[in-house]
Amino acid sequence: MTRTPAEPHSVPAELRPYLQEVVRHAQAVCGRHLVSVVAVGSVALGDYRHGRSDTDVTVVVDAPLPGPTLSDLAAALTHPALPCPATGLELVVYDEEFAARPSGEAGYLMDLNTGPLLPSRVSFDPAESPAFWYVIDRSVAHRSGLPLYGRPPREVIAEPGRADLLTALRASVREHSAAEGHLADNRVLNGCRSVNFCRTGRWQAKRRAAQAVAASEERFRPLIAAALRSYERPRTDATALPGTDVQIFLTWVAGRVDAACEAGRPVGE
């Protein structure tokens, strides 16, 4: 089995020592059961912003694991036991067999959220979480994941099916329309990412997706420009956006996702 770390310059400098420690702890706790460690999210898509972005990591293991392994891994990685330099760490552990097949389910063995600006959470039951987060992340991991350790992402993480991806996008738009726990700028930019995916079949970083939507949708340009300006600021200094305008935009986004579903538009590589 190939065991290759990522090229060091592929990882943002602010995260390199931290992600090396994440891998080291995963190796120490999981031992021979560790298959792959993959950076997803903004790091994988080349748009990590220090002070704003969190860091998303997918871990694949060869189960069954010894009884306390997952709890031990959570304890080793929880901030501040391992200080997180990003706004937070969102780390998901999958069984190798589950990760290797397309699925619209959450399907994780462990989901850990930790860090200076994230509420601490650890779950060992995928029924506790909406599936769409994990479906989208596995698609990003399969297509663009940055290998930090072990086998390449495309070998171990399957691309979810088209119908499952569009269902996940619908759920994501509903989640961001509800607004609970989400910054206004992030709601707008995630909406742009959803529209851009429906149009192109590709995942793009939020800022690039926002620029593409703004170029084609003149009526939303002021809102998207305001969201981009806010996104340039640290998360704690994000600016407010007009609530009615955000809701109108997300209603339009929902219509674009529904249209993609109804049209049977292909989701490409």
Side-chain angles (χ1 to χ4, degrees):
M1 180 183 296
T2 303
R3 301 291 189 185
T4 55
E7 290 295 326
H9 297 298
S10 301
V11 178
E14 302 93 338
L15 292 180
R16 286 175 204 158
Y18 176 70
L19 289 177
Q20 288 168 358
E21 283 299 294
V22 169
V23 169
R24 187 179 70 81
H25 282 294
Q27 289 177 289
V29 174
C30 298
R32 63 180 179 82
H33 295 284
L34 185 62
V35 175
S36 294
V37 182
V38 180
V40 294
S42 60
V43 172
L45 295 173
D47 198 34
Y48 174 80
R49 289 190 51 74
H50 201 59
R52 159 59 71 150
S53 304
D54 52 29
T55 181
D56 300 271
V57 175
T58 295
V59 175
V60 179
V61 296
D62 176 13
L65 298 170
T69 302
L70 292 173
S71 296
D72 290 348
L73 182 61
L77 298 179
T78 295
H79 179 89
L82 179 62
C84 180
T87 59
L89 169 69
E90 297 184 359
L91 180 137
V92 183
V93 180
Y94 294 105
D95 168 67
E96 183 179 21
E97 289 189 8
F98 174 84
R101 65 176 188 269
S103 176
E105 300 175 359
Y108 59 79
L109 297 177
M110 184 180 80
D111 180 23
L112 172 68
N113 286 359
T114 187
L117 295 180
L118 279 187
S120 291
R121 172 184 182 271
V122 61
S123 169
F124 303 102
D125 180 1
E128 296 176 348
S129 306
F132 72 87
W133 297 115
Y134 310 92
V135 176
I136 291 172
D137 276 356
R138 290 198 301 273
S139 179
V140 173
H142 175 83
R143 297 174 182 218
S144 304
L146 179 63
L148 302 176
Y149 171 85
R151 292 168 55 195
R154 280 182 176 260
E155 288 186 10
V156 295
I157 302 171
E159 167 81 319
R162 173 186 170 277
D164 287 331
L165 280 171
L166 290 175
T167 297
L169 281 181
R170 276 176 157 164
S172 174
V173 174
R174 287 196 298 270
E175 168 80 13
H176 287 90
S177 295
E180 295 180 9
H182 299 287
L183 294 173
D185 57 18
N186 208 37
R187 295 167 65 203
V188 171
L189 299 186
N190 268 313
C192 292
R193 188 177 72 163
S194 295
V195 168
N196 196 64
F197 183 81
C198 289
R199 289 176 171 175
T200 68
R202 297 189 300 272
W203 296 114
Q204 285 192 321
K206 293 174 185 175
R207 289 186 294 175
R208 288 196 291 273
Q211 290 160 359
V213 173
S216 64
E217 304 297 332
E218 183 177 0
R219 59 180 165 150
F220 295 125
R221 284 177 193 167
L223 177 66
I224 294 171
L228 286 168
R229 286 194 299 270
S230 178
Y231 194 69
E232 294 294 327
R233 302 165 66 90
R235 188 176 297 201
T236 52
D237 294 330
T239 55
L241 301 178
T244 300
D245 291 353
V246 172
Q247 207 60 48
I248 290 171
F249 174 71
L250 290 174
T251 299
W252 175 80
V253 170
R256 303 288 71 71
V257 175
D258 288 344
C261 294
E262 292 164 7
R265 185 171 297 160
V267 174
E269 287 295 323

